[in-house]
Amino acid sequence: FGDSIMWGRDGNGSPSTQVTETIPKIMSKALGCQCDNYGVGNQAYLPISGTVPAYDTISAVNLTGYDAMVMCFGVNDGYHDLGDWDSTDESTIMGQFNKIVNYVFAQNPKIRLVVIAPWNGTNVGTAPDYWYGPRNHASGYVSRRILSDTLKTACDYYWIPYIEQYDSPINPLNIVAALPDGVHPSADYYKLLGAWLAAKVATFI
């Protein structure tokens, strides 16, 4: 589950252009298992641009037959209230996150849930950190680094795996080349991301 990056939007194309080798497809080949792609463009923990929140997409899928679930949201939550890591306030990012986690395990207690930190982008901020750098917002969401650290705190509480972005194939030295439109990877970098995540997820499942 995720946004347009999980769906596979080509950073060199239009919003409707999907790369041939998406992250789930690459992971499926690398791990030797079926990986269904439930990525939705513009999706977030809290809805934007007429989309439904991530919870609605996840709760519409029968999770009982799945061994594992990978999710990555947060890129489209930049102007939403973060909330505390243990929040139950559904008007905050963390309130929605905790709602999702509790729902997932209520549906399938044996599922292996893996959470991925939000991707970086060059459309906000400055090098080298961009979205992961300092950024003040009246509602309390300062940067994706703070969002990532807060998500990790919640995952540690639940004892569920959390994958950070700090050893991702996309780093401050190549991010401009990797994200042609500042947000979405090129086809070549999707291949790198898919292989990286497959290796990470393999250690958990």
Side-chain angles (χ1 to χ4, degrees), residues 16-193:
S16 61
T17 304
Q18 186 181 41
V19 295
T20 303
E21 296 292 310
T22 63
I23 289 172
K25 186 177 291 186
I26 294 165
M27 291 178 66
S28 177
K29 292 178 181 177
L31 297 172
C33 63
Q34 177 179 328
C35 293
D36 297 324
N37 189 344
Y38 292 107
V40 177
N42 289 325
Q43 192 148 73
Y45 287 111
L46 291 163
I48 62 166
S49 304
T51 62
V52 298
Y55 175 86
D56 288 16
T57 297
I58 293 168
S59 62
V61 176
N62 183 354
L63 300 175
T64 59
Y66 284 96
D67 298 307
M69 170 182 158
V70 175
M71 73 173 186
C72 180
F73 298 100
V75 165
N76 296 309
D77 282 293
Y79 297 95
H80 290 146
D81 293 345
L82 177 58
D84 295 328
W85 72 266
D86 58 350
S87 177
T88 58
D89 180 353
E90 295 181 16
S91 69
T92 67
I93 296 169
M94 295 310 300
Q96 287 292 325
F97 175 81
N98 288 301
K99 179 182 179 181
I100 289 170
V101 172
N102 282 279
Y103 172 81
V104 168
F105 284 98
Q107 294 300 303
N108 185 350
K110 296 186 296 182
I111 202 167
R112 190 63 156 144
L113 175 61
V114 180
V115 180
I116 304 169
W119 314 102
N120 202 354
T122 63
N123 59 326
V124 163
T126 58
D129 293 326
Y130 297 103
W131 270 98
Y132 270 74
R135 178 168 170 270
N136 295 320
H137 180 241
S139 298
Y141 178 19
V142 177
S143 75
R144 286 185 193 164
R145 176 173 280 121
I146 290 177
L147 171 55
S148 178
D149 290 347
T150 307
L151 288 168
K152 185 178 186 305
T153 297
C155 287
D156 287 349
Y157 173 80
Y158 290 118
W159 290 34
I160 58 178
Y162 186 71
I163 299 174
E164 296 184 272
Q165 294 288 337
Y166 301 119
D167 61 358
S168 162
I170 297 178
N171 60 53
L173 298 175
N174 63 18
I175 191 169
V176 172
L179 310 177
D181 63 359
V183 178
H184 306 92
S186 66
D188 287 342
Y189 277 89
Y190 272 112
K191 293 176 183 177
L192 295 175
L193 290 172

